[in-house]
Amino acid sequence: MTQEISPLPDWERNVGEEIDTMSHQESVETINGCRTRIMRAGSGEPLLFLHGAAGAGAWLPFMEALSKNYDIIVPEHPGFGGSDTPDWLDNIGDLAYFYLDVIDHLGLESVHLVGTSIGGWIAAELATRNSSPLKTLTLVAPAGVHVKGVVKGDMFMWSPDEMMQNLFHNQEIAAAMPQPKDDEEVMVVLKNRLMTAKLGWSPRFHNPDLPKWLHRISVPTLIIWGDDDKLLPAEMGPTYRDLIPNSTLDIISGCGHLPHVEKAQEFTRKVASFIEGAA
């Protein structure tokens, strides 16, 4: 029987808003010499969520919903937001090893690893290095591979307005997304953008060596993609599916690059159903 997930609030009441701050806890953990901001809530099996280029500034509705059944752990990557920028951070592979250290540091076992965009890339790189701490892997519109003939969007060339428009299928949601309110929030946006550029500038958002090692992923894997993803088109999905053993590809219709935001209820149901089915 599928676990029941609490319904998510309507977008009109919650676009870009943080859930009640009492619903999760925040801490700063020093891991491999890097002070790392972590949000956490819930109980049950651990679900480690790796965010995309925008950072992990807010506790989002899908996190709150999944925390009813899982121990949701949301670190902010080194170099992003409230986390330090360590001297050792040069590439996505460094973050893959860092999150293996995070798993050890927090004493996690049988982890459900979920990553979106560059977080999905990190998750895939981590799983090729060592799948043993993982129970399942969910990749959400992951960067990391290059597919001949598929033209990716270039976020470094988009204006802020173009970025919002291109991230979402539903333009009402794009228009409702919050903008930085003060200088501090502007600096966080710039910090995240700078680190994203460092990690994904050249070659653009992929590791030429990753495809030859994806066969090493040894846990059930779900790949989720929006059918109207203008940044990393859904046509990339079959390549990931074909290279990862025991993987399935699920395309969400009427959805852009952020299924966990734009289609939060559907996304949450799919992840929970997949995790339960893989148990």
Side-chain angles (χ1 to χ4, degrees), residues 113-135:
L113 181 61
V114 181
T116 180
S117 195
I118 63 168
W121 181 6
I122 297 166
E125 296 268 7
L126 181 158
T128 64
R129 288 159 169 78
N130 185 5
S131 291
S132 63
L134 308 182
K135 189 170 183 179

Side-chain angles (χ1 to χ4, degrees), residues 157-226:
M157 302 301 292
W158 292 340
S159 70
D161 286 344
E162 289 173 328
M163 175 73 79
M164 285 300 103
Q165 293 164 7
N166 288 333
L167 288 179
F168 293 98
H169 171 80
N170 185 335
Q171 291 303 295
E172 291 183 3
I173 296 176
M177 293 303 289
Q179 300 300 318
K181 297 188 297 290
D182 51 37
D183 289 346
E184 183 177 353
E185 291 190 2
V186 169
M187 291 306 295
V188 169
V189 170
L190 292 175
K191 178 181 180 179
N192 293 348
R193 190 172 178 84
L194 178 63
M195 183 51 63
T196 299
K198 180 176 182 178
L199 298 173
W201 186 270
S202 181
R204 279 295 203 274
F205 290 111
H206 75 280
N207 172 7
D209 293 323
L210 179 59
K212 64 187 179 186
W213 299 116
L214 288 171
H215 70 275
R216 289 179 47 84
I217 296 176
S218 59
V219 294
T221 300
L222 173 64
I223 304 157
I224 296 177
W225 230 293

Side-chain angles (χ1 to χ4, degrees), residues 3 40-47 66-73:
Q3 291 183 353
R40 189 169 188 173
S43 61
E45 295 181 331
L47 189 156
L66 286 171
S67 72
K68 305 305 180 185
N69 295 301
Y70 303 100
D71 177 12
I72 308 299
I73 303 159

Side-chain angles (χ1 to χ4, degrees), residues 29 31 38 40 48 73 75 101-108:
E29 300 276 347
I31 304 166
I38 298 176
R40 189 169 188 173
L48 180 63
I73 303 159
D101 287 346
V102 169
I103 289 170
D104 289 343
H105 178 87
L106 297 178
L108 305 179

